[in-house]
Amino acid sequence: MTIRRATISDVAREADVSPSTASVVFSGKTPVSDATRRRVLAAAANLGYIGPDPRAASLRLGRSGIVGVVVGSSMNHLFLDPVQRLMMDGLAEEVAPFGAGLLLLRTGTDVENAPTLLTAPLDAAVLIGCDLPLRHSLDAAHSRGLPIVVIEGDAGPGVPRILLDNRDAQRTAAAYLRDLGHTDVAIVTLRPSFEVGGGWLDADVDITIDVTRERLEGARDVFPTAPALATAGSSIDEGLAAGRVLFADPHRRPTAVIAQSDLLAAGVIRAAEEAGLAVPGDVSVTGFDGVPVDGLAPYELTTLVQSATDKGRAAGAAVAAMLDGRTPASVLLSCTFRIGDTTGPPLSRR
Amino acid sequence: MTIRRATISDVAREADVSPSTASVVFSGKTPVSDATRRRVLAAAANLGYIGPDPRAASLRLGRSGIVGVVVGSSMNHLFLDPVQRLMMDGLAEEVAPFGAGLLLLRTGTDVENAPTLLTAPLDAAVLIGCDLPLRHSLDAAHSRGLPIVVIEGDAGPGVPRILLDNRDAQRTAAAYLRDLGHTDVAIVTLRPSFEVGGGWLDADVDITIDVTRERLEGARDVFPTAPALATAGSSIDEGLAAGRVLFADPHRRPTAVIAQSDLLAAGVIRAAEEAGLAVPGDVSVTGFDGVPVDGLAPYELTTLVQSATDKGRAAGAAVAAMLDGRTPASVLLSCTFRIGDTTGPPLSRR
DNA sequence: ACAGCCTACCGAATCGATTCGACGTGCTGG
DNA sequence: CCAGCACGTCGAATCGATTCGGTAGGCTGT
């Protein structure tokens, strides 16, 4: 029953040529006479040979066509975020022409021999953010010569990064609210660190997740004393919960909320509706990301539009460059401010 | 500058042992004396050798530790659905102990040399659904001896399938509505085929996507003449659009809506609210999947709960079995009916 | 003291494809 | 008529790790 799969040598023998010739028929690296090509292809069809074994090819070529993407422990969580989904699409799109696909590597699971940066046959790796536990295996991978790119995170010197002008962008949105006349503004943040979950953010907590910190800084550049309520991650339900806290006391509610993501903003808007508040009449809400939020309609969010797809593509391009032996520079992408219908002057000004 | 990475032979030479001995120090397949082990490890550390090259190992072992997952052309679309996300988690979790990771293979893109079932170094492949364009490369892969598992689809004989009792489950929900007294029921379906998008479903359209057909059959078992409105896919916004159509005419609106997914149901509920209809007072809504829908709160949907994670795990187990040389049987998973607060007797009955 | 055994290690073959320099045709031009 | 060239094909080495049959050396038991 164990029928050994035909190899290229078998095909060569059947076609009465040398293995090298048979090989080039498939790879096309060297011209081959038409007659020979036909003979080889016929022999291949005959033996049911479909093409070179990718494993052998990858050993010889030193390229496996696989780019590792280090995601957190749960894809359910990661891909909840439209930004990540679009980014993955951009990334996949960009590396595809290189014959590369994306291998999902999960961290945080302590399964015995789960695949890692070191055990998987990777050509390169892309890190999304960069949490501490990763740094260890990262160094090893790096020292093995594996090209690495980091998206919105810092993996040490020499690792190209794909960054977003989070702080500037968020400052723009905050300034817009200020110019509308808002002074009583609350901030709903993404997760501040892997240790801390949600809750009011004291001044002294250490915000280790870059995105959260940068966007918070941008908001605080304009509203230095604005209270910040942290969530455990980017989702409508987290935003809803935060919004309920913000709107709980009718006498002490903000006139505007800066949410650090569109999903959070959608949740805050939902909470406002629940509390009988009109958006933007009673409360203005800004988001961040500029992604279509399923279920946000009919609102058009005032937000900072980033092209998540471009972010993925930039990472892909950086990977491609490294595979070509070049050394890509870090990339800083910009957001554009989009004014929607969820912001307006505060009640007192109208 | 091209410093050739150290190989296991280099390490062996440095430690003054044979390559075979050095190899077993890393693999642990054979006992090695403590002294030797230490010498080898020291030599490795010395040369900066981190472990066997996965590419070479995979050629020799015939195992790459990579399971291909064939997704559609857009991850953004695929992972919009919580069911898919959870399924991927279950799958990843189940294959991880085998040292396997998931490689995302996109179909529908016609990039020149994008990785495929044939060109990627896969140990096995999992298909989600099974669209026609896939069948071709699938046959080739199958003939190469690549283990394949299909989730909710049909990839021909000999390919183990992971299935759901869609029809039975949907029938249960429909019967529940009937027992509540509903007679005027509308169905909001998932995408009927890759050709057809949304719109009212005539009796004669060919529903080629199994999930859609099966759930529709289940509903029609109870309400044979219920009109069915198709959507282009599982999302809140699609459900919202469908709901608007259903509730457009106040005089001819259904008293209950059977949505083929929770996301669609959430959209329908949103549409009902928009139209000033109370749920479940004016209209009952059922979903399918039993996943947490971000933004559905505070409703608790009446729905059919499937364990998407289990579905993924079942697929993973089947893959694992095939990697072990066993032949797994197809698996039929069951949904459980969960009554929430989105269904009640029709207005006329109260 | 010798047969027999166990442990730890070695050598060489193997996985399958690719590549590059070498080689043999058959043809052209001087 | 022969040097020179172009084209197509071949051989052999290589990518790096793993495995399995075999062997040397030390130990036990009688």
Side-chain angles (χ1 to χ4, degrees):
Chain A
M1 185 56 200
T2 311
I3 31 160
R4 203 172 57 84
R5 249 193 59 215
T7 73
I8 199 151
S9 301
D10 299 330
V11 173
R13 199 173 314 119
E14 174 91 359
D16 205 36
V17 296
S18 78
S20 35
T21 305
S23 176
V24 295
V25 166
F26 286 96
S27 72
K29 299 268 183 182
T30 301
V32 176
S33 80
D34 243 29
T36 310
R37 181 198 321 289
R38 267 196 299 276
R39 257 208 344 277
V40 170
L41 291 179
N46 204 357
L47 297 176
Y49 179 85
I50 348 224
D53 179 339
R55 272 181 281 261
S58 81
L59 169 59
R60 180 65 237 238
L61 298 174
R63 297 272 236 97
S64 60
I66 292 177
V67 174
V69 179
V70 179
V71 305
S73 56
S74 150
M75 292 180 233
N76 183 34
H77 186 260
L78 178 76
F79 292 128
L80 182 62
D81 190 346
V83 175
Q84 309 289 5
R85 295 198 298 263
L86 290 168
M87 204 194 61
M88 290 290 285
D89 272 332
L91 182 54
E93 197 178 289
E94 196 72 22
V95 298
F98 281 71
L102 304 180
L103 179 70
L104 268 24
L105 293 173
R106 312 199 307 167
T107 59
T109 63
D110 48 357
V111 179
E112 187 55 35
N113 43 6
T116 67
L117 282 181
L118 293 178
T119 59
L122 305 179
D123 287 345
V126 175
L127 309 187
I128 301 178
C130 182
D131 43 353
L132 269 285
L134 201 55
R135 288 301 289 267
H136 175 232
S137 63
L138 197 157
D139 289 344
H142 204 216
S143 84
R144 159 173 284 189
L146 192 71
I148 293 180
V149 175
V150 172
I151 298 180
E152 297 203 79
D154 182 1
V159 177
R161 308 161 68 180
I162 310 298
L163 300 167
L164 209 58
D165 62 341
N166 285 305
R167 184 171 184 165
D168 288 353
Q170 188 69 85
R171 189 190 302 123
T172 304
Y176 176 73
L177 288 175
R178 182 196 54 205
D179 294 348
L180 282 174
H182 291 274
T183 53
D184 199 358
V185 173
I187 304 167
V188 174
T189 79
L190 296 165
R191 178 173 268 253
S193 75
F194 294 99
E195 295 76 40
V196 184
W200 289 104
L201 271 184
D202 294 337
D204 59 345
V205 276
D206 205 17
I207 302 183
T208 58
I209 299 183
D210 296 345
V211 180
T212 308
R213 179 168 24 76
E214 291 168 12
R215 293 186 188 173
L216 182 59
E217 286 166 353
R220 287 267 170 81
D221 284 344
V222 177
F223 299 106
T225 59
L229 184 56
T231 66
S234 185
S235 74
I236 296 182
D237 285 337
E238 284 285 331
L240 178 60
R244 283 178 180 153
V245 172
L246 294 180
F247 303 137
D249 182 351
H251 303 296
R252 290 189 42 206
R253 56 174 182 75
T255 63
V257 177
I258 296 176
Q260 287 192 340
S261 84
D262 286 356
L263 291 178
L264 289 175
V268 170
I269 290 174
R270 191 81 41 85
E273 289 176 341
E274 247 184 48
L277 301 172
V279 174
D282 297 314
V283 59
S284 290
V285 179
T286 66
F288 202 117
D289 290 339
V291 292
V293 175
D294 196 26
L296 179 62
Y299 289 104
E300 171 105 19
L301 203 55
T302 294
T303 192
L304 295 145
V305 184
Q306 64 163 309
S307 172
T309 312
D310 282 347
K311 203 160 65 175
R313 272 199 277 256
V319 165
M322 297 184 86
L323 292 183
D324 270 2
R326 303 198 306 279
T327 306
S330 291
V331 177
L332 177 64
L333 296 170
S334 299
C335 302
T336 62
F337 184 47
R338 186 181 70 199
I339 299 176
D341 55 19
T342 59
T343 45
L347 215 44
S348 59
R349 284 268 192 128
R350 294 196 305 176
Chain B
M1 184 57 200
T2 311
I3 30 158
R4 202 173 56 85
R5 250 192 57 215
T7 73
I8 199 152
S9 301
D10 299 330
V11 173
R13 199 173 317 117
E14 173 90 1
D16 205 37
V17 296
S18 79
S20 34
T21 305
S23 176
V24 294
V25 166
F26 285 96
S27 72
K29 299 267 185 185
T30 300
V32 177
S33 80
D34 245 28
T36 311
R37 181 198 321 288
R38 268 196 299 276
R39 258 206 344 279
V40 170
L41 291 179
N46 203 355
L47 297 176
Y49 179 85
I50 349 229
D53 180 340
R55 274 182 279 262
S58 82
L59 169 58
R60 181 64 237 244
L61 298 175
R63 297 271 237 94
S64 60
I66 293 177
V67 174
V69 180
V70 179
V71 304
S73 56
S74 149
M75 293 180 234
N76 183 34
H77 186 261
L78 177 76
F79 291 128
L80 182 60
D81 190 344
V83 175
Q84 309 288 7
R85 294 198 299 263
L86 290 168
M87 204 194 62
M88 290 289 285
D89 271 332
L91 182 55
E93 197 178 291
E94 195 72 22
V95 299
F98 280 70
L102 303 179
L103 180 70
L104 268 24
L105 294 173
R106 311 199 307 167
T107 59
T109 63
D110 48 357
V111 179
E112 187 55 36
N113 42 9
T116 67
L117 281 182
L118 293 179
T119 59
L122 304 180
D123 288 343
V126 175
L127 310 186
I128 300 177
C130 181
D131 44 352
L132 268 286
L134 202 55
R135 287 302 288 265
H136 175 231
S137 63
L138 198 157
D139 289 343
H142 204 216
S143 85
R144 159 172 285 188
L146 191 70
I148 293 179
V149 175
V150 170
I151 298 180
E152 298 203 79
D154 182 2
V159 178
R161 308 161 68 181
I162 311 297
L163 300 168
L164 209 57
D165 62 341
N166 284 306
R167 184 171 183 166
D168 288 354
Q170 188 69 86
R171 189 190 302 122
T172 304
Y176 175 72
L177 288 175
R178 182 196 55 206
D179 294 348
L180 282 174
H182 291 274
T183 53
D184 200 357
V185 173
I187 303 166
V188 174
T189 81
L190 296 165
R191 178 173 268 254
S193 76
F194 294 98
E195 295 76 40
V196 184
W200 289 103
L201 272 184
D202 294 337
D204 59 345
V205 275
D206 204 16
I207 303 183
T208 58
I209 298 183
D210 296 346
V211 181
T212 309
R213 181 169 23 75
E214 291 169 11
R215 293 186 188 173
L216 182 58
E217 285 168 353
R220 287 266 169 81
D221 284 343
V222 176
F223 300 106
T225 59
L229 184 56
T231 67
S234 185
S235 74
I236 296 182
D237 285 337
E238 283 285 332
L240 178 60
R244 283 178 180 152
V245 173
L246 293 180
F247 303 137
D249 181 351
H251 303 296
R252 291 190 42 206
R253 58 173 180 75
T255 64
V257 177
I258 295 176
Q260 287 192 341
S261 83
D262 286 355
L263 290 178
L264 289 175
V268 170
I269 290 174
R270 192 78 42 86
E273 289 176 339
E274 247 183 50
L277 300 173
V279 175
D282 297 315
V283 58
S284 290
V285 179
T286 67
F288 203 116
D289 292 337
V291 293
V293 176
D294 196 25
L296 178 62
Y299 290 104
E300 171 105 18
L301 203 55
T302 295
T303 192
L304 295 145
V305 184
Q306 63 163 308
S307 172
T309 312
D310 283 346
K311 204 159 65 175
R313 271 198 279 255
V319 165
M322 297 184 87
L323 292 182
D324 270 1
R326 304 198 304 279
T327 307
S330 290
V331 176
L332 178 62
L333 296 170
S334 299
C335 301
T336 61
F337 183 48
R338 186 182 70 199
I339 299 177
D341 56 19
T342 60
T343 46
L347 215 44
S348 58
R349 283 268 192 130
R350 295 197 305 175

